[in-house]
Amino acid sequence: MLLVVLLVSAIPRGALADEPAVTASAAAPVATWGRYPLATSGLYPIWEDTGALLQPAQAQLATSGVRVGILPRLQLGLQPSYYIHRAPNLEAKVSIYSSPRLQLAGRLSAIVLFRDAQDRMITPVYASRVVNPSSVVVLAPTSLHVSWQPWSFLVVHGSATVLPMLSNGEDVANTAASGLSAMIELPIVSGNSLLLHAGEVGLWDHDFAYVGASYRLNYRWFLLQLGYAYRLRAEGAQGSPMLNVGVYL
Amino acid sequence: MRRALALSAATLLLASACDWDYYSLMNSIPVEGDPAANPVIHVVLGIDGVPIDAASEAVARGAFPGWRMARHVTSFPGTSDVAWSRILHTTPVESYEYQYYDPQKHELVRNGYTGLLAHTIPLTEKPCYRAFDFSGNGLTNGYYNYRAPQYSLGTTLDNIFTLLEGRVQSRSTKAFLGFIIETDVIGHMQTREDFVAALEVIDRRIELFKAAHPERTWLFTLVSDHGHNFVASPDDKMIRFQNELPKVGVEVVDTLADRGPDSPLAAIPIVHTRVTYLSLNTVQEQAPEVAKRVSTFEFVDLAIAKIPAPEGARPEGLAWYAIWKGGELALAFGHDSATDRYHVLPGGDPAALEMGWLLEESAEGLSDEMLFARTLESVYPDLLYKTRTGLEPVGIRFPAQVLVSFAQPFASVGFEVPGGANEVATSIFHGAMHRKDSLGVVLTEERDLPPAFRSDNFLEFFPAVRRHLESRLSLSPSVDANESLDYAQVFP
């Protein structure tokens, strides 16, 4: 899959679409407020992202993602805080189609959960429902993301994800789960957006759904996104704060 | 650019210290196990501070049908950190409270606001709580516990059952421990009815969970770490012990460095949480006199301290302890650790402790089993064992030299915030030696239980839980060498 991503990324700009712009965000005339007034990534882990990419040689250094535009259609990134929790990870995102109002991207990630990943929380007030005392688990979420801006005040980000979970099977079965998610972004004032988040994971084999809301600010190089989501399962709801603070360089 | 980089580095560092992203990740991964690999799951829910009275009432209303219930005779002082450390045999905590006196450094640790903040900023976790697979419900848990304990209970149960359902997908999971602190808070701040209602909620949630997951056999156990006395203490019954000690000629100090047996009487009162006991650090040689003097206060029920071996006492080599009540010695006894027998010193007034029979039956020493059985229905169940282990490094590293058990309806005021919010948590209390403060409960559908058992023996009754803990933590084989009881002797 990584090969496919790299091959697609190597296709010259314009071969897949007439529009030269790589991201809608980049095309928006809002340079005074921030280079990326609209979301360039998801906030909820694994299951959401956008169709937008960073421009080549530009970077986002943030708590929920260090990402760098490598080629016109390729962006590489990682989740830095997972490394603090000893969960190495990497992601590649490639633009498949891009026009001022519509972007389509594919993303391939790999996250390694070493044994006893449930014990890696820094504070004692958060716990994991996944435990792997006997196995190293590799997550390889593979996804398609679309960002569509029908009007200037509305952007819809949709994601379809397949999450293969691979291990030696000593703890849990090797499975692949699917999920759909959407972010509704309302750019209320230049550089300021309200976002509504929702997702369904498992689909026909329902696992959980989530709903949330966040506020995003990009002023010049500064990026802040703060929100809260609830994961909804038959057993109960889990509140989950979400924060992304960083800079665009 | 340099400023941006510096800011980004600082921001990364700050936010990385926060678990939010990882928490979301680890709870957003669908997992699937094989019920045949672990068809039976032992689930222990630590229900903090639930007394036997409230549990009995909930059962009488129909909760926990078919479960077995036992009185859980918990340790003294009845405060959670040391109690859970003893119940689960985890690494000893420093002392009875966050704030304590370190006799090696001769200083008060987490004194003042730092001790208060330790309750609300969960950056570290005591080993006894690390034993639980779930012990906290997010950064705001400490706030919602007190602001809206019923809401907090709901979110805690949501989290517990969500984690439980996920964790059992791993074939290695045979047991799960969840900690519910909200029951203790409901006890402190609300009514007995609220307490019972909270237990009924827990019962309903358990039944709903079991009905939704018939693919496994779930064996639930609820265990509490201490009781609650159901006696409110209005402000005029709140004791500021530091103000009282000078009235009996005991100076209040904040270090015992450079103090000896011949120094003027002095002690360090640990006035930290709102409870019905108090620990006093003093020079060991002064402890009996300090205990005797503080027992004269009307708000003190009992004061206990270690004493030197009485002259001519037989057998030799025993560790000796004493209990004062109303300024008089009520009971002095020695403990033979080799035989686990207790020897009572003639004199005193055991009848004041509802133990008038004690002197007549103590010629050969009294067995632990006999004492447990004979004191079980008294005001002070398991009094001698609790006195002895309360003053020794059992479950803690730094025991106090004097422990005070308050008379009802008095309580130690605890930490006071200048300017307000001091009226909270005055409904009911725990901590004292009195049976209402100290009788907790064990409710289980896993096995038969004796009518009552010592909380230090909890893991003996639930070996699957012990194995689960041992797979994750280093446990003490025993918190006290003589903790075990032969329950066939206790309940023939």
Side-chain angles (χ1 to χ4, degrees), chain B residues 30 63 90 115 151 184 225 250 253 281 290 304 312-313 355 393 407 441 484:
Chain B
T90 51
Y151 164 78
D184 183 62
D225 56 332
V250 180
V253 295
N281 290 87
V290 171
I304 65 174
M355 300 175 77
V441 67
S484 291

Side-chain angles (χ1 to χ4, degrees), chain B residues 340-403:
Chain B
D340 193 20
R341 295 186 80 81
Y342 290 80
H343 298 264
V344 176
L345 191 70
D349 182 16
L353 307 172
E354 292 191 2
M355 300 175 77
W357 47 269
L358 203 55
L359 291 174
E360 298 160 17
E361 303 190 22
S362 66
E364 300 300 318
L366 302 161
S367 73
D368 205 9
E369 285 78 8
M370 182 267 203
L371 284 166
F372 185 85
R374 289 293 297 265
T375 59
L376 188 57
E377 304 301 330
S378 76
V379 178
Y380 309 111
D382 212 11
L383 176 63
L384 276 66
Y385 177 80
K386 288 206 245 186
T387 296
R388 177 174 72 77
T389 54
L391 294 164
E392 298 288 353
V394 176
I396 59 173
R397 291 175 60 210
F398 304 125
Q401 287 68 49
V402 177
L403 287 170

Side-chain angles (χ1 to χ4, degrees), chain A residues 44 123-124 128-129 170 235 240, chain B residues 19 24 28 122 165 171 213:
Chain A
Y44 195 91
T123 62
S128 163
R129 69 188 296 274
E170 285 296 310
E235 292 76 26
S240 203
Chain B
D19 285 325
S24 283
S28 300
E165 190 276 334
R171 60 178 61 232
H213 296 284

Side-chain angles (χ1 to χ4, degrees), chain A residues 44 47 63-64 85 117 122-129 133 165 170-171 173 221 231 233 235 237-241 245, chain B residues 11 15-16 19-22 24 27-28 31-32 122 125 136 138-139 158-159 165-167 169-172 205 213:
Chain A
Y44 195 91
W47 300 104
T63 56
S64 287
H85 298 87
I122 297 166
T123 62
V125 291
Y126 294 106
S128 163
R129 69 188 296 274
M165 186 170 174
E170 285 296 310
D171 288 304
W221 43 263
R231 276 181 294 281
R233 284 189 167 87
E235 292 76 26
Q238 281 182 310
S240 203
V245 184
Chain B
T11 307
S16 294
D19 285 325
W20 291 348
D21 279 325
Y22 194 64
S24 283
N27 287 280
S28 300
V31 283
E32 192 176 308
E125 187 174 40
L139 284 175
D158 279 4
N159 237 321
E165 190 276 334
R167 288 192 171 212
Q169 303 309 320
S170 171
R171 60 178 61 232
S172 61
R205 293 295 302 268
H213 296 284

Side-chain angles (χ1 to χ4, degrees), chain B residues 273-346:
Chain B
T273 53
R274 202 156 270 193
V275 285
T276 48
Y277 88 95
L278 188 105
S279 61
L280 289 167
N281 290 87
T282 184
V283 177
Q284 181 56 53
E285 290 82 355
Q286 296 183 346
E289 182 60 24
V290 171
K292 180 183 177 183
R293 292 193 185 197
V294 298
S295 75
T296 60
F297 290 127
E298 65 157 341
F299 50 82
V300 170
D301 183 24
L302 307 174
I304 65 174
K306 293 171 76 171
I307 58 173
E311 203 169 316
R314 293 287 183 276
E316 294 181 341
L318 306 187
W320 286 85
Y321 310 85
I323 303 170
W324 288 265
K325 188 177 177 75
E328 301 294 334
L329 180 70
L331 178 65
F333 64 91
H335 178 249
D336 185 341
S337 61
T339 62
D340 193 20
R341 295 186 80 81
Y342 290 80
H343 298 264
V344 176
L345 191 70

Side-chain angles (χ1 to χ4, degrees), chain A residues 44-47 61-64 79-82 84-85 87 111 113 117-118 120-131 133-134 139 163 165 169-173 175 177 201 205 207-208 221-222 230-231 233 235-243 245-247 249, chain B residues 1 3-5 7-8 11-33 122-125 133-141 151 155 157-159 161-173 205 209 212-213 472:
Chain A
Y44 195 91
I46 296 182
W47 300 104
L61 301 181
T63 56
S64 287
Q79 166 49 281
S81 73
Y82 295 173
I84 304 292
H85 298 87
I111 305 168
L113 303 176
Q118 74 280 358
R120 305 278 190 264
M121 300 288 178
I122 297 166
T123 62
V125 291
Y126 294 106
S128 163
R129 69 188 296 274
V130 177
V131 290
S134 306
L139 306 172
L163 174 63
M165 186 170 174
E170 285 296 310
D171 288 304
V172 293
T175 57
V201 174
D205 185 17
D207 193 82
F208 74 98
W221 43 263
F222 179 68
Y230 280 101
R231 276 181 294 281
R233 284 189 167 87
E235 292 76 26
Q238 281 182 310
S240 203
M242 303 184 294
L243 173 69
V245 184
V247 296
L249 301 174
Chain B
M1 176 64 83
R3 196 174 62 169
L5 282 173
L7 181 62
S8 79
T11 307
L12 275 172
L13 191 65
L14 184 68
S16 294
C18 174
D19 285 325
W20 291 348
D21 279 325
Y22 194 64
Y23 172 64
S24 283
L25 170 73
M26 296 299 286
N27 287 280
S28 300
I29 305 167
V31 283
E32 192 176 308
L123 292 178
T124 59
E125 187 174 40
D133 298 287
F134 170 89
S135 64
N137 195 11
L139 284 175
T140 55
N141 198 184
Y151 164 78
T155 59
L157 292 173
D158 279 4
N159 237 321
F161 288 114
T162 297
L163 295 184
L164 174 60
E165 190 276 334
R167 288 192 171 212
V168 298
Q169 303 309 320
S170 171
R171 60 178 61 232
S172 61
T173 301
R205 293 295 302 268
F209 179 81
H213 296 284
R472 303 167 48 227

